[in-house]
Amino acid sequence: MGKEIFIGIDGGGTKTSTVAVDSNGQELARHISPCSNYHSVGEDLAKAAINEGIKYVIRKVKETITGDVDSDKEVTVGSICLGMSGVDREKDKLLVGSWVKELLGESAHYSIHNDAIVALSSGTQGKLFGVVIICGTGCISLGFNREGVSSRSGGWGPLLGDYGSGYQIGYDILRHVLKAKDQIGPKTSLTQVLLEKLQLTKEEDLISWAYDPKTQSWQKFAQLSPLAFEQAQLGDEISNLILIDAANALYDLINSVVKKLGLDKEEKFPLVYTGGNIERKGILSDLLSKKIMENYPNAEILNTSCDPSMGAALLALNSKK
């Protein structure tokens, strides 16, 4: 008798993580391949990265079961779930789905979600109910109610308003440092630590740093965000205000999703924190949790209990139950 497995794929911007689990949700194999965001690397490389991961975990499971990768014992894929960054439009999903069917057959059972849905699953053990808030370089909140209706807020990108994100925190640091320089805002310890981090001697040097065409990226602004956390911990009022603003912005995203889905009427609903700025206990997550508990005592705040590829694998498994 063959072995049925369920595969989850997390296709991030830098790497692709593939996990296979059995019918009990136990991990059987794992593989890391290159980036599979075809908007970044093109269709051929993205397809190759996805195929590499699927082929590897199937081969590894077969080898584990029989001790022989060339054994005739069949390993069947019950379902596969792909959580892909940059795959939101129906056209994108049809393209990626065609790669799956080409590899596994026309009857392959698969689903494709954006990475926020997989992040929710990573905190709810594969159940699509509740809300996730992601706060990394960007930010987004997404949720599902018990009827399977979904809604989202945020995720528009820095130019259109990623308020509460790592990018916005970094931008606010720069803004307050320059306001202090112009003496239209209070002094802040952020000035010294910012210049030290960027190895600059004076505030005027920030112009070249910010507008350098060779280093233009949202990430370089987001990489400044830890300074606000550090200085707020040391008592800097401006840093604390920046984090209060970020917590309020994140709360607004969550509040929007909760209201639209009617989760405020639930006896309890899960709220998953993920992303580098809030997935560990700290000032920002504490500020956000305080505001959440004041308004939604029925929210059960959780951190992710597994990585996104495992979250995707659990979604694949639950889709066949």
Side-chain angles (χ1 to χ4, degrees), residues 230-304:
E230 294 165 9
Q231 296 307 303
Q233 195 75 44
L234 294 173
D236 180 62
E237 289 187 15
I238 292 298
S239 296
N240 196 51
L241 285 173
I242 289 172
L243 296 183
I244 289 172
D245 285 346
N248 288 337
L250 295 175
Y251 171 79
D252 287 343
L253 297 179
I254 296 166
N255 181 54
S256 166
V257 172
V258 170
K259 293 288 190 187
K260 286 186 284 187
L261 294 176
L263 296 176
D264 51 322
K265 299 177 180 65
E266 291 282 348
E267 183 179 345
K268 185 180 287 189
F269 69 89
L271 170 58
V272 179
Y273 286 8
T274 187
N277 294 312
I278 56 171
E279 62 189 4
R280 292 176 295 277
K281 183 172 173 57
I283 294 177
L284 180 55
S285 60
D286 286 350
L287 288 167
L288 178 58
S289 296
K290 182 174 183 292
K291 185 144 189 173
I292 291 293
M293 287 296 98
E294 287 171 353
N295 293 277
Y296 295 113
N298 58 332
E300 182 184 8
I301 296 173
L302 305 168
N303 292 112
T304 53

Side-chain angles (χ1 to χ4, degrees), residues 40-200:
S40 300
V41 299
E43 292 183 19
D44 291 342
L45 291 177
K47 177 181 177 181
I50 290 171
N51 286 355
E52 177 186 322
I54 296 172
K55 289 177 179 177
Y56 177 89
V57 295
I58 292 174
R59 186 170 66 248
K60 191 68 176 176
V61 170
K62 182 179 285 193
E63 185 179 3
T64 301
I65 294 170
T66 66
D68 180 9
V69 73
D70 296 318
S71 166
D72 291 334
K73 191 164 186 178
E74 187 179 3
V75 172
T76 60
V77 179
S79 183
I80 181 168
C81 174
L82 301 93
M84 310 292 292
S85 63
V87 178
D88 282 308
R89 298 174 302 169
E90 194 59 31
K91 183 180 106 173
D92 299 325
K93 292 180 180 180
L94 287 172
L95 175 64
V96 175
S98 71
W99 302 342
V100 174
K101 290 192 286 187
E102 183 180 325
L103 180 63
L104 299 178
E106 285 294 320
S107 61
H109 186 278
Y110 71 92
S111 59
I112 301 171
H113 301 293
N114 69 32
D115 44 5
I117 292 176
V118 171
L120 173 62
S121 172
S122 300
T124 60
Q125 291 293 295
K127 299 178 181 64
L128 289 184
F129 171 67
V131 179
V132 65
I133 179 72
I134 303 175
C135 181
T137 298
C139 60
I140 186 174
S141 184
L142 176 143
F144 285 82
N145 63 19
R146 293 194 186 278
E147 289 70 46
V149 177
S150 67
S151 184
R152 58 175 273 182
S153 286
W156 302 113
L159 284 178
L160 299 178
D162 262 349
Y163 301 114
S165 67
Y167 164 83
Q168 187 66 44
I169 293 171
Y171 174 79
D172 285 346
I173 289 171
L174 292 163
R175 187 167 58 85
H176 281 286
V177 164
L178 296 177
K179 285 179 74 175
K181 169 66 175 175
D182 289 336
Q183 298 182 24
I184 55 175
K187 290 184 178 180
T188 168
S189 61
L190 286 167
T191 299
Q192 181 178 345
V193 295
L194 174 66
L195 294 177
E196 287 174 354
K197 178 178 176 61
L198 299 180
Q199 299 180 320
L200 304 175

